[in-house]
């Protein structure tokens, strides 16, 4: 077991990538705090892990509210006495270009996707002991490869990469490693509507798959496995890093390849 004895908080672990990460961490021996804004989903994840013989505590948390985050950190300290790993996976997809979105939409996007990560880091880092710990921020490939009509989301995720670098520098001397994972298109509830629209046109769907060198979409578990590596002692010399998990889509300039004479 690669995370035996470690205490891990996973935000947004009621669904998708956070859920897969919390479940995989539990299989690897970690004790979990499930921090999510959805009471039903969060409780269900806690019960599932307990039923499989693991250790988990659900704490209803809106990461955008400092009072909630403080309460979640206090509940973790009271249950486990320390934290080794924080995975910031809570996030929302916010669409619209710079002219379309309102100030409220901008602020909500930044509050959940960026401020929430700062708040969780602020209140969880003091719970990491002298042996240090690890923070894993679930960012996105949007900062590297902009997609139309995802302006506030791309900006928030770009800011998150800067947040990760800054924390890595400030807290490296305390043995706290801070890394970002950038998923590409992953089949989670966040994307279900988009995916079912895409599948209405088999040509469009095939074209989308062809934009990935691996010719497939990612699953939440693909991201969870990357998180296990970054949470485990195997990555003890890795900090300030950005791990892209996207089937190769970000680096792929595939459109003219088959037209170039050999
Ligand atoms: P998901 O299935 O929608 O899961 C996100 C979870 O976070 C949900 O349980 C959601 O609860 C929760 N959440 C939302 N706002 C929250 C808040 N303020 N406080 C606490 N929890 C909150 O989405 P996902 O695909 O797993 O996304 C996880 C992370 O990966 C996000 O940061 C996302 O931006 C990032 N990401 C995803 C993809 C992808 O293709 N799926 C790609 C790149 C990056 P509700 O359902 O009640 O809102």
């Amino acid at each position: 077991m690669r995370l035996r004895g470690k205490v891990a908080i996973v935000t947004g672990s009621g669904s998708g990538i956070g859920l897969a990460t919390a479940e995989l961490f539990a299989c690897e021996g970690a004790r979990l705090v499930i921090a999510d804004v959805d009471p039903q989903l969060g409780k269900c994840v806690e019960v599932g892990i307990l039923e499989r013989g693991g250790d988990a505590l659900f704490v209803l948390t809106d990461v955008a509210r400092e009072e909630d985050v403080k309460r979640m950190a206090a509940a973790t300290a009271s249950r486990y006495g320390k934290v080794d790993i924080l995975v910031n996976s809570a996030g929302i997809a916010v669409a619209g270009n710079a002219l379309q979105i309102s100030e409220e939409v901008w602020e909500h996007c930044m509050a959940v996707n960026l401020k929430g990560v700062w708040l969780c880091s602020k209140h969880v880092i003091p719970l990491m002991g002298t042996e240090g710990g690890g923070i894993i921020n679930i960012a996105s490939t949007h900062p590297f490869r902009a997609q139309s009509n995802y302006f506030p989301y791309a900006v928030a995720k770009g800011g998150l990469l800067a947040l990760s670098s800054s924390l890595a520098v400030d807290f490296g001397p305390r043995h706290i490693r801070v890394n970002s994972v950038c998923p590409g298109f992953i089949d989670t509830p966040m994307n279900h509507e988009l995916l079912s629209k895409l599948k209405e046109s088999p040509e469009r769907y095939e074209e989308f798959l062809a934009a990935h060198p691996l010719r497939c979409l990612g699953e939440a578990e693909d991201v969870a496995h990357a998180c296990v590596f970054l949470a485990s002692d195997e990555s003890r010399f890795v900090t300030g890093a950005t791990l892209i998990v996207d089937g190769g889509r970000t680096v792929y300039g595939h459109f003219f390849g088959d037209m170039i004479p050999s």
Side-chain angles (χ1 to χ4, degrees):
M1 286 192 176
R2 295 157 77 191
L3 304 178
R4 190 193 296 277
K6 292 193 191 280
V7 174
I9 297 171
V10 184
T11 73
S13 42
S15 170
I17 291 168
L19 167 62
T21 302
E23 290 188 334
L24 191 57
F25 277 23
C27 289
E28 293 289 351
R31 293 171 283 164
L32 267 304
V33 169
I34 308 300
D36 200 283
V37 78
D38 186 312
Q40 277 81 37
L41 290 179
K43 194 69 195 166
C44 190
V45 178
E46 179 201 72
V47 169
I49 292 174
L50 291 173
E51 281 176 355
R52 289 189 292 278
D55 195 350
L57 170 71
F58 167 60
V59 186
L60 184 64
T61 314
D62 179 346
V63 296
R65 293 166 53 95
E66 188 160 24
E67 281 314 305
D68 275 28
V69 174
K70 271 190 194 168
R71 203 172 29 80
M72 182 273 288
T76 306
S78 143
R79 168 77 162 244
Y80 297 122
K82 64 157 186 173
V83 179
D84 300 294
I85 306 153
L86 167 65
V87 180
N88 288 301
S89 187
I92 49 171
V94 181
N97 72 29
L99 307 190
Q100 291 164 340
I101 61 158
S102 64
E103 192 175 1
E104 288 71 31
V105 167
W106 165 275
E107 279 173 358
H108 184 50
C109 179
M110 297 303 151
V112 177
N113 291 328
L114 187 54
K115 184 180 83 170
V117 177
W118 162 57
L119 290 176
C120 289
S121 305
K122 175 181 172 186
H123 292 290
V124 169
I125 285 174
L127 303 179
M128 292 177 167
T130 48
E131 68 281 14
I135 299 178
I136 301 162
N137 294 325
I138 309 300
S140 166
T141 53
H142 281 243
F144 313 120
R145 198 178 156 126
Q147 295 186 22
S148 48
N149 292 319
Y150 265 110
F151 168 70
Y153 182 78
V155 173
K157 293 297 187 180
L160 185 50
L161 296 181
L163 181 153
S164 297
S165 309
S166 192
L167 289 183
V169 168
D170 284 343
F171 296 99
R174 285 181 51 188
H175 307 291
I176 293 171
R177 300 183 296 107
V178 186
N179 293 293
S180 302
V181 173
C182 293
F185 192 95
I186 307 295
D187 185 359
T188 69
M190 182 180 271
N191 282 331
H192 281 172
E193 201 184 325
L194 190 59
L195 196 54
S196 50
K197 263 194 203 159
L198 199 57
K199 285 182 174 170
E200 282 169 15
S201 159
E203 299 78 31
R204 231 22 231 290
Y205 183 59
E206 280 309 313
E207 196 186 329
F208 187 57
L209 288 184
H212 298 73
L214 294 180
R215 300 291 192 271
C216 60
L217 304 182
E219 305 288 337
E221 289 70 23
D222 296 316
V223 184
H225 282 288
C227 292
V228 168
F229 166 66
L230 290 172
S232 75
D233 295 339
E234 294 157 21
S235 58
R236 60 180 284 273
F237 198 51
V238 181
T239 194
T242 300
L243 178 51
I244 296 178
V245 182
D246 73 340
R249 187 164 163 236
T250 301
V251 297
Y252 193 21
H254 67 290
F255 286 107
F256 304 112
D258 56 355
M259 295 166 70
I260 294 172
S262 49

